[in-house]
């Protein structure tokens, strides 16, 4: 099922959590399961999807429902704001911008991290004259969506070598078409996000390409993005929200300890979606710290970038305003 902008606006928000919010705490545990609707990412898996596959939500009153695909984080956040889904997933700058714009969202847990093993890489063809970040000025770069992780990584990369952040031209290309557009020379550079390791692995295995730079080189080790919940959803379903985050983190830890088994699970998920399960062998993991731990820098780094660029009023937001704290039910 593909969700369109029209269907996003027509879908009603979740009712079960709102009803449960008015029940006494004893009765709440006996209420119907909380259904959490979400949009998947082609070629990848999120920790909460893995947790569901591993059966970690059983007996906890949590049911996940995949209602389609998101082309990128901003689309996911739009769906969350409209009430068409119950969780979003987006790059940290997009999350901050959305909250600053008035959405009462909470960053529940980091969906991915970037480090030496898990990273976004910008590729060119082997015979490309592009050799460094400075060479991408004036060139065309494919990204999965604008206003998200790859977009901001390119901006920071250019700024780091003394070039204007808009010196390169970004074009949107869906993950499955990234290799084709690069090899047919429709773009000069293909950006493959850390969440697109399956597509990146296939690209590299087919040969004839090389990486120019990656996001870990530009940003350091940091959370790549966050799974986002509405604050009223957390207030209405505090136990479900806590269990959802804890079990998602548990699944991420399991995947790090059992990478081969995790790839088998991913292969099954991709096959069930009608995607190519064989690509799961290229999956590099979530890149998260133990227990999906988050630091203030994961958020404050991007707050400072957005403040510096005039996209966020100075002092308006900080990590403590954005990150989920179990038991918190206040409204901003």
């Amino acid at each position: 099922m593909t969700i369109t902008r029209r269907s996003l606006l027509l879908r009603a928000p979740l009712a079960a959590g709102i009803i449960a919010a008015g029940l006494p705490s004893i009765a709440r545990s006996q209420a119907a399961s909380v259904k959490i609707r979400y949009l998947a990412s082609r070629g990848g898996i999120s920790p909460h999807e893995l947790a569901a596959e591993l059966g970690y939500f059983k007996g906890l009153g949590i049911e996940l429902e995949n209602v389609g695909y998101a082309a990128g984080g901003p689309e996911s956040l739009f769906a969350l704001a409209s009430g068409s889904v119950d969780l979003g997933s987006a790059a940290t700058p997009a999350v901050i911008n959305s909250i600053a714009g008035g959405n009462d969202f909470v960053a529940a847990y980091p969906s991915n991290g970037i480090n030496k093993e898990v990273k976004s890489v910008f590729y060119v063809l082997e015979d490309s004259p592009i050799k460094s970040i400075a060479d991408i000025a004036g060139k065309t770069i494919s990204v999965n969506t604008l206003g998200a992780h790859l977009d901001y990584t390119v901006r920071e990369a250019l700024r780091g070598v003394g070039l204007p952040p808009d010196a390169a031209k970004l074009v949107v290309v869906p993950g499955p078409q990234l290799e084709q557009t690069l090899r047919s020379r429709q773009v000069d550079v293909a950006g493959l996000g850390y969440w697109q390791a399956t597509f990146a692995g296939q690209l590299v295995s087919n040969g004839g390409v090389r990486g120019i730079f990656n996001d870990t080189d530009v940003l350091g080790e940091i959370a790549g993005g966050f799974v986002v919940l509405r604050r009223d959803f957390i207030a209405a379903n505090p136990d479900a929200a806590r269990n959802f985050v804890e079990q998602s983190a548990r699944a991420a830890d399991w995947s790090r300890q059992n990478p081969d088994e995790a790839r088998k699970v991913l292969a099954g998920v991709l096959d069930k979606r009608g995607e190519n399960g064989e690509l799961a062998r290229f999956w590099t993991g979530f890149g998260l710290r133990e227990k999906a731990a988050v630091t203030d820098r994961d958020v404050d780094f991007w707050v400072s970038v957005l403040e510096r660029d005039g996209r966020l009023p100075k002092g308006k937001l900080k990590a403590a305003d954005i990150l989920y704290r179990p038991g918190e039910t206040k409204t901003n």
Side-chain angles (χ1 to χ4, degrees):
M1 171 183 174
T2 300
I3 286 190
T4 64
R5 183 174 292 266
R6 176 178 173 81
S7 66
L8 288 176
L9 294 172
L10 292 176
R11 282 184 173 270
L14 181 71
I18 298 174
I19 294 172
L23 297 175
S25 58
I26 296 177
R28 187 181 299 139
S29 64
Q30 300 171 355
S33 295
V34 175
K35 181 177 288 187
I36 302 178
R37 299 162 297 162
Y38 71 95
L39 296 172
S41 177
R42 294 188 187 278
I45 191 172
S46 298
H48 50 268
E49 292 177 280
L50 179 58
E53 291 294 323
L54 296 174
Y56 288 176
F57 295 134
K58 289 182 178 178
L60 296 177
I62 296 172
E63 178 186 352
L64 294 190
E65 181 184 1
N66 180 354
V67 295
Y69 287 100
E75 180 180 342
S76 175
L77 295 177
F78 177 85
L80 180 62
S82 72
S84 299
V85 297
D86 307 299
L87 70 85
S89 183
T92 313
V95 172
I96 296 170
N97 281 329
S98 185
I99 293 173
N103 287 306
D104 203 9
F105 294 163
V106 178
Y109 75 88
S111 54
N112 291 81
I114 58 173
N115 54 38
K116 293 179 180 178
E117 289 76 36
V118 180
K119 62 190 74 174
S120 307
V121 182
F122 293 80
Y123 292 97
V124 297
L125 295 176
E126 194 66 55
D127 62 357
S128 170
I130 300 173
K131 306 292 185 183
S132 66
I133 292 174
D135 294 333
I136 69 174
K139 301 300 190 294
T140 301
I141 303 175
S142 62
V143 295
N144 68 306
T145 190
L146 300 178
H149 184 76
L150 296 180
D151 187 338
Y152 278 95
T153 297
V154 171
R155 290 173 178 273
E156 288 302 296
L158 288 166
R159 184 181 294 277
V161 296
L163 291 170
D166 59 353
K169 178 183 178 182
L170 303 185
V171 297
V172 175
V173 176
Q177 280 78 57
L178 285 167
E179 180 169 3
Q180 175 188 348
T181 54
L182 178 63
R183 294 194 186 280
S184 62
R185 302 180 188 273
Q186 296 177 61
V187 297
D188 301 300
V189 184
L192 285 96
Y194 51 78
W195 63 94
Q196 297 173 313
T198 52
F199 299 134
Q202 183 179 45
L203 173 67
V204 172
S205 70
N206 288 336
V209 299
R210 53 186 169 82
I212 296 300
F213 67 99
N214 64 69
D215 53 359
T216 305
D217 291 340
V218 175
L219 307 174
E221 296 192 5
I222 194 171
F226 284 86
V227 169
V228 181
L229 298 173
R230 295 192 311 273
R231 198 179 296 274
D232 62 353
F233 178 91
I234 294 175
N237 307 281
D239 292 337
R242 184 185 66 254
N243 288 329
F244 169 77
V245 171
E246 289 177 352
Q247 297 308 314
S248 297
R250 178 186 171 195
D253 286 346
W254 178 87
S255 72
R256 186 174 56 254
Q257 297 156 4
N258 305 276
D260 291 336
E261 290 86 346
R263 292 186 186 97
K264 291 178 182 177
V265 175
L266 173 57
V269 169
L270 294 179
D271 284 337
K272 283 190 293 185
R273 292 181 190 164
E275 300 182 57
N276 185 0
E278 293 184 3
L279 296 182
R281 70 183 187 276
F282 299 123
W283 188 64
T284 54
F286 295 117
L288 293 174
R289 308 177 187 99
E290 186 176 357
K291 297 183 179 179
V294 63
T295 68
D296 283 356
R297 179 182 181 270
D298 291 331
V299 172
D300 287 339
F301 171 84
W302 287 112
V303 167
S304 65
V305 167
L306 295 172
E307 289 178 343
R308 180 198 67 199
D309 294 347
R311 297 170 180 264
L312 180 70
K314 192 169 183 61
K316 180 174 182 177
L317 289 174
K318 57 184 182 299
D321 302 322
I322 294 170
L323 296 175
Y324 167 67
R325 306 298 185 195
E328 176 188 286
T329 58
K330 72 176 184 179
T331 299
N332 282 344

